[in-house]
């Protein structure tokens, strides 16, 4: 009944009614009285909402039309061109704005937004494909242990024999050359380096020293030093002398250092 009076900004009737309702609520004992109190709260909250909406604050309200007008002015709208376009064709819009109008607006508004830099791929975007299913390889069943043991040692033994046969043949060839040269000219000492060095291959030189070492080890030849303290090689006279030297421990193993520069 007193709605207009309560909504008045100069009236405190709504506050007084709430205070009176608080006092009356302390004496509520029946359900009907509690329902009336709840109904009063609904009416009081609606009146309070309407009263708050009617309050005038000093804040400026947002006017979308004024904002659009200021925005067009900032983007450089040409009113004269707009009027001409309106007289010619009414359906064309945006012809009165400069070509860089939106670009100008973007540069201005960019400084008010903080965002992370966008990520660019150097070689294009990465398109993930589903993994290719792996083909299952059927493993062969293990054979019996006896057959496997018989096969592998035989193969390794064959390789060792072939390598050993090639070494023995090369050692025999070099020993034959040494004996032939010494037989033709027994008074001329044979230089060890002249015998083993290949002037065209450093690797071949190392192999020759390796093969000659077997000849020295088995006693088929011996090394001496000439007057210039350079090694010379000569074949042994007979097998008896080799056996006596072996028993007496006359043969010693010597390590020779020969790098690529020295070989040159």
């Amino acid at each position: 009944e007193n709605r207009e009076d309560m909504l008045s900004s100069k009236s405190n009737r709504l506050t007084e009614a709430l205070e009176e309702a608080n006092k009356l609520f302390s004496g509520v004992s029946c359900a009907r009285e509690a329902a009336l109190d709840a109904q009063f709260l609904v009416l009081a909250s609606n009146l309070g909402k309407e009263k708050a909406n009617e309050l005038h604050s000093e804040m400026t309200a947002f006017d979308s039309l004024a904002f659009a007008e200021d925005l067009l002015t900032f983007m450089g709208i040409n009113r004269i061109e707009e009027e001409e376009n309106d007289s010619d064709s009414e359906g064309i819009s945006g012809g009165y704005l400069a070509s860089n109008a939106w670009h100008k607006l973007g540069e201005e508004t960019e400084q008010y937004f903080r965002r992370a830099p966008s990520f660019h791929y150097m070689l294009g975007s990465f398109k993930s494909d589903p993994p290719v299913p792996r083909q299952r390889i059927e493993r062969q069943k293990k054979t019996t242990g006896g057959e496997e043991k018989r096969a592998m040692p035989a193969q390794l033994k064959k390789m060792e024999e072939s390598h050993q046969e090639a070494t023995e043949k090369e050692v025999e060839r070099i020993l034959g050359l040494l004996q032939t040269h010494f037989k033709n000219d027994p008074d001329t000492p044979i230089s060890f380096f002249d015998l083993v060095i290949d002037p065209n291959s450093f690797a071949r030189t190392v192999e020759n020293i390796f093969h000659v070492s077997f000849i020295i080890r088995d006693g088929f030849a011996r090394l001496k030093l000439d007057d210039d303290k350079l090694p010379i090689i000569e074949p042994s006279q007979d097998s008896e002398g080799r056996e006596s030297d072996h028993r007496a421990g006359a043969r010693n193993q010597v390590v020779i250092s020969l790098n690529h520069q020295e070989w040159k």
Side-chain angles (χ1 to χ4, degrees):
E1 294 177 357
N2 301 323
R3 180 185 182 88
E4 298 297 334
D5 189 13
M6 286 188 175
L7 292 179
S8 176
S9 59
K10 299 179 180 180
S11 175
N12 293 327
R13 293 290 301 276
L14 183 59
T15 305
E16 294 173 357
L18 287 172
E19 293 176 353
E20 185 179 356
N22 288 335
K23 294 177 182 179
L24 295 175
F25 184 74
S26 60
V28 172
S29 60
C30 301
R32 178 59 182 167
E33 297 172 353
L36 291 174
D37 182 76
Q39 185 179 2
F40 167 75
L41 288 178
V42 174
L43 294 174
S45 61
N46 291 333
L47 292 173
K49 180 181 177 182
E50 292 182 15
K51 191 172 184 178
N53 290 333
E54 292 179 359
L55 293 177
H56 296 283
S57 61
E58 296 181 357
M59 296 178 61
T60 305
F62 177 76
D63 188 354
S64 59
L65 296 178
F67 174 76
E69 186 67 25
D70 293 340
L71 192 62
L72 290 174
T73 303
F74 174 78
M75 294 170 66
I77 188 172
N78 190 345
R79 299 293 183 182
I80 300 176
E81 186 176 353
E82 178 187 5
E83 294 175 357
E84 293 176 357
N85 291 338
D86 288 344
S87 60
D88 296 340
S89 59
E90 297 179 357
I92 300 176
S93 61
Y96 51 86
L97 283 176
S99 59
N100 63 338
W102 290 105
H103 183 68
K104 180 180 179 181
L105 177 63
E107 290 181 347
E108 180 64 23
T109 57
E110 186 179 13
Q111 57 184 334
Y112 300 102
F113 293 91
R114 293 183 180 180
R115 62 175 183 175
S118 58
F119 182 80
H120 298 282
Y121 293 95
M122 295 179 64
L123 300 177
S125 61
F126 176 77
K127 183 179 180 181
S128 60
D129 297 327
V132 181
R134 241 185 230 181
Q135 295 182 356
R136 186 174 180 181
I137 301 175
E138 295 291 339
R139 294 187 178 181
Q140 297 181 355
K141 295 182 178 180
K142 292 184 178 180
T143 57
T144 57
E147 294 180 359
E148 186 176 357
K149 289 181 180 179
R150 285 196 299 270
M152 290 301 294
Q155 184 179 2
L156 293 176
K157 184 177 180 182
K158 184 178 180 181
M159 293 175 62
E160 292 176 357
E161 289 178 354
S162 61
H163 181 70
Q164 185 176 0
E165 289 176 359
T167 303
E168 290 179 355
K169 289 181 180 179
E170 187 66 18
V171 171
E172 291 176 358
R173 186 183 71 85
I174 295 177
L175 179 60
L177 293 175
L178 180 63
Q179 290 175 347
T180 301
H181 182 81
F182 190 80
K183 184 178 180 180
N184 295 334
D185 192 2
D187 297 330
T188 303
I190 302 174
S191 172
F192 173 75
F193 292 114
D194 288 344
L195 175 68
V196 298
I197 289 180
D198 186 344
N200 299 319
S201 173
F202 176 72
R204 183 64 179 170
T205 301
V206 175
E207 290 181 358
N208 291 338
I209 296 176
F210 171 71
H211 292 141
V212 171
S213 66
F214 287 100
I215 301 175
I216 303 298
R217 183 198 65 179
D218 296 336
F220 291 102
R222 65 185 65 178
L223 283 176
K224 296 181 180 180
L225 295 178
D226 58 6
D227 297 337
D228 297 328
K229 301 298 180 180
L230 295 175
I232 58 176
I233 186 171
E234 62 180 10
S236 299
Q237 296 297 329
D238 50 11
S239 60
E240 294 180 358
R242 292 195 295 272
E243 292 178 358
S244 61
D245 290 342
H246 181 71
R247 288 192 301 268
R251 295 195 307 275
N252 297 319
Q253 290 182 335
V254 180
V255 178
I256 298 178
S257 174
L258 180 67
N259 55 33
H260 194 267
Q261 187 64 30
E262 293 173 345
W263 167 76
K264 285 186 177 182

